């Protein structure tokens, strides 16, 4: 199916839709009230997080239940850079966050990719719990339960300009990072490398028989996914000016899976839509059910798993992968 | 060096915790073995069982009656969950069932938080005496827990070996299609297995309740530990899970001599990862032919 799609190239309709959505997101700060502006930025960050785990769930066919480890390490890496270096530097924070996430991802990938299916899920879950326990109990370095707080770094290019982030500035910065990440991930999934990942999902023994080194591809896939999850962690840290152990807890990994299933796996944009859908539901239901919003959300999620396994955007999966 | 009696006390602790864990994990492995379902909500069934025990205790005032009511009501709830959420997923990818049970887990956890509040509930010990174990006053009740768990697991073993449903369950685990051809009502067997698993989790929850404050988040710990046990013991292998429960709990208990209980969990995680790398079929399982 995909080879045909590659031959014909992306359709005009797809790019029109893409431009409209990005333009709408860019214009969002002008029309939305203050609360929803922040909300839109948050959707983008969680959307990037969801997209990163789609590489594993949707394209390579491995469900990671430990994505919070990468998110959290990105967060704590950024925090470390922002606290250690004066004045705080945005690019350094991103670099350190990404390196931290990449190291953890390499470590997790090395062990977990030897396993398949639920064993992979359980191993990633256990690894994220290990990092959670380390971060939670190593109070001297990580601040333990209280986490770390820091000041927001300004946006700047050394020697050229430095401006502090405004609410809109942050939104556009996040939008820029997310759009670039999306285009990069899209390009990767359509490259020969991405095709191999999808063939692992469809038929692993055959992929191996053709001569691909499946384990190596899986390791790279986990690392790639972890890297972008780390990037979303960095963005979240910059937006909220703190790093907390709660974000390494397995519930965050669970949310990544929920985003994917709700939005539609294997589409990259589906998980972003899933994140938006989830956060909106959370917002609406917390006004009715307060902190128990996960009761209706959990029910809806379970019903979707049973009745709409392809997710909200799953029906357009082919068009979105052109 | 570490005093010898400290090690012995931790070994007793490990054995007691291991029996509780075995009760939870054997339900999980039974469910996995027969339905290929990784029940993410298993720890939450354990937690809900403990809460049902407290509710029943408020009404009846008797611990053993509460244990019985909690077990029976969780068995009924298990029937309902299986029929409503898991039966439609039969034959789909096992990963789908992880997702569905994860959703159920969220619902149960937050329902418990809503119904019982964030303050931990206490369940009084039915046996209050202590005896001298080296340097500590060791509660008799902890030994009662271990014995009760052993009795329940023994009962399960006899049921599986001689009971009509037990034989059906073993047949279905071996070969689902053949069992169906022989006239065994396979969908009903699935539902019963889930109910048995839920009931055992509830029994473990009520028995474990008096030793800790019951709170809505305690289920996840047990889910995770039960996963570790089930993998170390070999997926779907009942005897292996029981041995692995004791093994893992002993490891954790001994680790608490050096590190805090929160960090001791890492020891069992490392055991899991080593098992998966060295012998993915499980340490306590026979080598597959």
């Amino acid at each position: 199916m995909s080879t045909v799609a590659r031959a014909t190239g992306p359709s005009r309709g797809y790019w029109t839709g893409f431009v409209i959505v990005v333009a709408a997101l860019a214009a969002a700060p002008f029309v939305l009230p203050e609360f929803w502006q922040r909300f839109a930025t948050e959707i983008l960050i969680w959307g990037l997080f969801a997209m990163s785990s789609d590489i594993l769930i949707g394209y390579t066919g491995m469900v990671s239940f430990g994505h919070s480890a990468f998110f959290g390490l990105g967060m704590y890496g950024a925090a470390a850079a922002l606290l250690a270096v004066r004045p705080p530097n945005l690019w350094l924070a991103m670099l350190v966050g990404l390196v931290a996430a990449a190291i953890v991802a390499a470590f997790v990938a090395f062990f977990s990719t030897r396993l398949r299916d639920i064993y992979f899920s359980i191993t990633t879950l256990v690894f994220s719990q290990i990092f959670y326990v380390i971060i939670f109990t190593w109070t001297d370095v990580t601040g333990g339960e209280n986490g770390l707080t820091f000041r927001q770094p300004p946006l700047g290019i050394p020697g050229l300009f430095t401006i502090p982030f405004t609410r809109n500035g942050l939104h556009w910065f996040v939008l820029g990072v997310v759009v670039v990440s999306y285009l990069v991930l899209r390009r990767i999934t359509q490259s020969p490398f991405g095709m191999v990942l999808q063939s692992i999902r469809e038929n692993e023994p055959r992929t191996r028989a053709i001569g691909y080194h499946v384990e190596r591809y899986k390791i790279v896939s986990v690392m790639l996914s972890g890297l972008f999850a780390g990037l979303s962690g960095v963005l979240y840290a910059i937006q909220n000016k703190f790093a907390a152990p709660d974000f390494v807890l397995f519930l965050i990994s669970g949310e990544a899976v929920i985003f994917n299933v709700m939005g539609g796996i294997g589409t990259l944009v589906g998980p972003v839509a899933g994140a938006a859908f989830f956060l909106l539901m959370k917002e609406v239901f917390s006004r009715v059910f307060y902190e128990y919003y996960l009761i209706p959300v959990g029910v809806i999620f379970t019903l979707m798993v049973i009745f709409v396994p392809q997710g909200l955007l799953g029906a357009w999966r082919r068009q979105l992968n052109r | 060096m570490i005093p010898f009696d400290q090690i012995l006390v931790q070994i007793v602790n490990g054995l007691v915790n291991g029996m509780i864990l075995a009760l939870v994990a054997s339900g999980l492995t039974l469910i996995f073995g027969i339905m290929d379902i990784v029940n993410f909500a298993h720890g939450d069934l354990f937690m809900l069982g403990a809460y049902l025990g407290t509710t029943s205790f408020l009404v009846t005032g008797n611990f053993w009656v509460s244990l019985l009511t909690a077990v029976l009501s969780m068995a009924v709830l298990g029937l309902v969950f299986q029929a409503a959420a898991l039966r439609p997923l039969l034959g789909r990818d096992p990963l789908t069932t992880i997702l569905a049970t994860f959703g159920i887990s969220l619902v149960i956890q937050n329902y418990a938080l809503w119904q019982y509040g964030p303050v931990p509930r206490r369940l009084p010990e039915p046996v209050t005496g202590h005896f001298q174990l080296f340097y500590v006053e060791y509660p008799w009740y902890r030994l009662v827990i271990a014995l009760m768990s052993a009795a329940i697991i023994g009962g399960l073993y006899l049921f599986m070996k001689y009971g009509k449903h037990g034989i059906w369950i073993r047949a279905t685990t071996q070969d689902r299609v053949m069992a169906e051809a022989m006239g065994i009502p396979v969908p009903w067997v699935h539902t019963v297995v889930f109910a048995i698993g839920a009931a055992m989790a509830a029994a473990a929850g009520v028995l474990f309740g008096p030793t800790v404050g019951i709170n809505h988040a305690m289920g996840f710990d047990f889910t995770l530990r039960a996963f570790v046990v089930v993998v170390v013991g070999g997926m779907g292998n009942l005897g292996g899970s029981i041995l692995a429960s004791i093994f893992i709990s002993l490891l954790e208990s001994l680790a608490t001599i050096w590190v805090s209980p929160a960090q001791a969990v890492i020891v069992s995680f490392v055991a899991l990862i080593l098992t998966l790398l060295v012998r993915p079929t499980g340490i306590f399982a026979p080598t597959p032919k």
Side-chain angles (χ1 to χ4, degrees), chain A residues 111 119 129 257 301 305-306, chain B residues 92 99 110 224 235 276-277:
Chain A
F111 291 103
Y119 296 96
Q129 249 349 73
V257 176
F301 173 73
V305 169
I306 298 172
Chain B
R92 281 210 225 161
L99 298 178
N110 287 279
L224 212 57
M235 277 277 190
L276 285 172
L277 292 180

Side-chain angles (χ1 to χ4, degrees), chain A residues 65 111 114-115 118-119 123 125-127 129-130 133 137 250 254 257 261 292 294-295 298-299 301-302 305-306, chain B residues 32 38 40 85 88 92 96 98-99 102-104 107 110-111 113-114 220 224 235 262-263 269 272-273 276-277:
Chain A
F65 258 100
F111 291 103
R114 298 168 181 220
L115 304 155
I118 38 177
Y119 296 96
T123 317
L125 171 61
V126 160
F127 268 114
Q129 249 349 73
I130 291 179
V133 171
T137 53
F250 111 98
V257 176
V261 173
Y292 315 116
L294 275 172
I295 299 177
V299 170
F301 173 73
T302 312
V305 169
I306 298 172
Chain B
F32 178 82
V38 179
F40 218 101
R92 281 210 225 161
T96 323
I98 292 197
L99 298 178
F102 174 63
I104 295 174
V107 175
N110 287 279
Y111 171 77
L113 179 64
W114 174 49
F220 177 63
L224 212 57
M235 277 277 190
Q263 290 164 329
F269 292 165
L272 169 79
I273 290 160
L276 285 172
L277 292 180

